[in-house]
Amino acid sequence: AQTVTQSQPEMSVQEAETVTLSCTYDTSENNYYLFWYKQPPSRQMILVIRQEAYKQQNATENRFSVNFQKAAKSFSLKISDSQLGDTAMYFCAFMKHTGNTGKLIFGQGTTLQVKP
Amino acid sequence: EAGVTQSPTHLIKTRGQQATLRCSPISGHTSVYWYQQALGLGLQFLLWYDEGEERNRGNFPPRFSGRQFPNYSSELNVNALELEDSALYLCASSFNTGGSNEKLFFGSGTQLSVL
């Protein structure tokens, strides 16, 4: 069975600075997807970034980038130039690629506070 | 383009009643997923529907059920409500890209409170 672990329940960062959120996972699959979702107070889960496990290049989306270490089963999210609107809960998630079950497995979440 | 929409936003029921939650996917998406986000339990996969059929089910009792309509919208029904069913229920949708549904888009959820 797959598991996703986020070991930082809460983090804070000053506006305009950089912060890194950690995520580790466990799987015996070789092909899969990894995601970071953001859940602001509005409760909507917003897809931040997606990584395909068979791609070695780290995914980037504007100020958001990941450090994907497949052998270490690590998938951290870096937020550069943090903005007040980045304040939210962030979830790391895993999905199998082959034999897809439609099932995202989420970590416990990290609450990020961006301070002015 | 409209995102995933869910209704109602909030729902208050008493123990033993039935709740019906609704979800409209993004236009063009054929897959709909339901997740439960309960305090202390995180996000748990409930159900996956695609092309009108149930494709997968999470570890939930049979009183959690649903369906998908020809227009790809979906309903989640929870029968015989229990206090621990109180949670945020999130719906997501995606394209069904040949079995590799790798990008899910979520709605804002229905907050169900069972008294």
Side-chain angles (χ1 to χ4, degrees):
Chain A
Q2 292 84 19
T3 59
V4 178
T5 302
Q6 293 177 250
S7 58
Q8 305 152 314
E10 296 180 356
M11 292 193 71
S12 64
V13 63
Q14 291 296 131
E15 195 175 7
E17 293 188 345
T18 295
V19 64
T20 299
L21 308 184
S22 301
C23 172
T24 58
Y25 58 95
D26 189 26
T27 184
S28 58
E29 301 284 328
N30 188 51
N31 225 359
Y32 48 87
Y33 298 98
L34 294 165
F35 307 83
W36 278 98
Y37 279 90
K38 165 186 175 181
Q39 189 177 39
S42 68
R43 307 177 314 182
Q44 183 177 13
M45 295 284 282
I46 300 166
L47 179 62
V48 174
I49 201 163
R50 175 180 66 116
Q51 175 78 42
E52 298 164 16
Y54 55 88
K55 289 187 176 178
Q56 290 189 338
Q57 187 173 5
N58 289 325
T60 63
E61 289 285 344
N62 301 313
R63 300 182 294 108
F64 299 88
S65 61
V66 297
N67 183 4
F68 173 48
Q69 302 288 328
K70 191 172 183 180
K73 295 180 182 174
S74 170
F75 183 61
S76 60
L77 175 70
K78 185 172 84 170
I79 306 174
S80 304
D81 185 25
S82 297
Q83 300 175 0
L84 296 177
D86 295 333
T87 293
M89 193 150 192
Y90 288 80
F91 291 92
C92 178
F94 169 100
M95 178 183 274
K96 288 170 58 176
H97 180 274
T98 53
N100 182 40
T101 62
K103 180 179 175 181
L104 274 168
I105 298 169
F106 286 91
Q108 306 92 317
T110 297
T111 300
L112 176 66
Q113 177 80 39
V114 180
K115 298 179 178 178
Chain B
E1 180 183 315
V4 177
T5 57
Q6 292 187 244
S7 64
T9 306
H10 293 87
L11 189 58
I12 300 174
K13 294 285 186 179
T14 56
R15 199 168 45 183
Q17 285 188 315
Q18 179 196 41
T20 298
L21 288 63
R22 296 179 176 84
C23 173
S24 293
I26 291 171
S27 177
H29 286 187
T30 62
S31 280
V32 170
Y33 312 80
W34 288 95
Y35 283 81
Q36 182 196 65
Q37 187 176 19
L39 278 174
L41 293 177
L43 280 141
Q44 304 290 324
F45 169 75
L46 255 169
L47 288 159
W48 171 30
Y49 291 96
D50 183 68
E51 298 284 357
E53 294 194 11
E54 183 180 301
R55 300 294 186 182
N56 196 17
R57 181 182 183 84
N59 189 23
F60 281 84
R63 57 192 187 81
F64 287 83
S65 65
R67 54 181 172 166
Q68 186 178 33
F69 299 99
N71 67 353
Y72 303 116
S73 67
S74 177
E75 271 183 5
L76 173 69
N77 295 293
V78 188
N79 294 319
L81 284 165
E82 299 179 3
L83 297 177
E84 52 265 34
D85 296 334
S86 294
L88 179 68
Y89 289 84
L90 289 163
C91 173
S93 73
S94 75
F95 292 108
N96 185 350
T97 54
S100 180
N101 306 344
E102 76 278 14
K103 194 178 279 190
L104 274 63
F105 295 90
F106 284 82
S108 296
T110 293
Q111 183 67 52
L112 173 64
S113 298
V114 183
L115 307 178

